Structure formats: C-alpha cells, structure tokens
Amino acid sequence: MSSINTVQQELTPIYQCNPEVHQMLKSIKVHLHQLCADHSHRLVKVETMDGDVFEGYIVHCDRGILHLRLSNEGYARAFFPGPPPPPFNNNSNFVLPLVLFNLLAISLI
C-alpha cells in the first residue's frame, strides 16, 4: 500500500482549472440547468459550439447533460453525425444527450 501512496504523491497535474474559471463554469451550469428545467417538455432548437443544430423536446437536464428527445417534425432539418437516419415513425423516441458546456444557443420553437 505504501508504494501506491508514494506514486500518487509524485504525480503532478498537467492541467488544473483556474479557480475563477471553475466558479464561472459552475455558475453557468446552474443557470443552464434552471433554464432547461423551466422549459422542460418544450420544443427547442439547440445549436452546439461546433455548429450542429438539433430540434427536439427537453426531456431532462442533470449533471451538465441536456437530454433532448428529437422531434419527428424537425428530423429533416437537424444535423445527424454519420449517414442519414432512417425515416422516423410516430413511436420513435430518440433521446440525444448534449453536454451543456458545448451549447451555443437554445431557442424556443
């Protein structure tokens, strides 16, 4: 056991978040979580920092992840990584997890 403790003490981080940045990110996370909770089950358009756009309903937001149920109406206008998806049916229930810190905009539709 002492060798494990010795190795852990010798490790030095190659990155450590600045305390001011950490506080700002926490505050943004709390704000976005509340915003998503206030608009739960509403149809939204979400744009990521990379320019991807998704339309769907806010299902849940927890631990920095927004769960978006993709809408059947907007599937032709949304971006899907990879090959085009098969046509949706009324029973489809695709939920896309999106990281809150990667979101650029959330708009009500």
Side-chain angles (χ1 to χ4, degrees):
M1 284 289 199
S2 63
S3 65
I4 292 174
N5 291 337
T6 305
V7 171
Q8 287 179 347
Q9 290 173 355
E10 292 175 10
L11 296 177
T12 56
I14 60 172
Y15 169 77
Q16 188 165 2
C17 187
N18 180 308
E20 291 85 18
V21 172
H22 179 251
Q23 186 58 39
M24 182 186 302
L25 290 173
K26 277 180 73 173
S27 127
I28 291 169
K29 181 179 173 182
V30 168
H31 175 72
L32 284 173
H33 183 273
Q34 186 60 50
L35 182 89
C36 291
D38 291 345
H39 295 89
S40 186
H41 306 292
R42 299 278 307 266
L43 181 60
V44 295
K45 180 172 150 181
V46 176
E47 183 178 353
T48 69
M49 297 279 206
D50 298 325
D52 300 332
V53 177
F54 303 97
E55 289 183 9
Y57 295 86
I58 296 175
V59 175
H60 185 67
C61 185
D62 190 30
R63 297 183 182 258
I65 305 292
L66 169 65
H67 299 272
L68 191 70
R69 181 172 50 87
L70 300 180
S71 70
N72 291 340
E73 306 90 42
Y75 79 90
R77 295 177 284 162
F79 171 80
F80 292 89
F88 292 175
N89 59 39
N90 290 336
N91 297 325
S92 64
N93 202 13
F94 298 101
V95 175
L96 183 67
L98 297 169
V99 178
L100 287 178
F101 296 121
N102 194 31
L103 302 183
L104 182 59
I106 301 174
S107 306
L108 292 174
I109 297 179

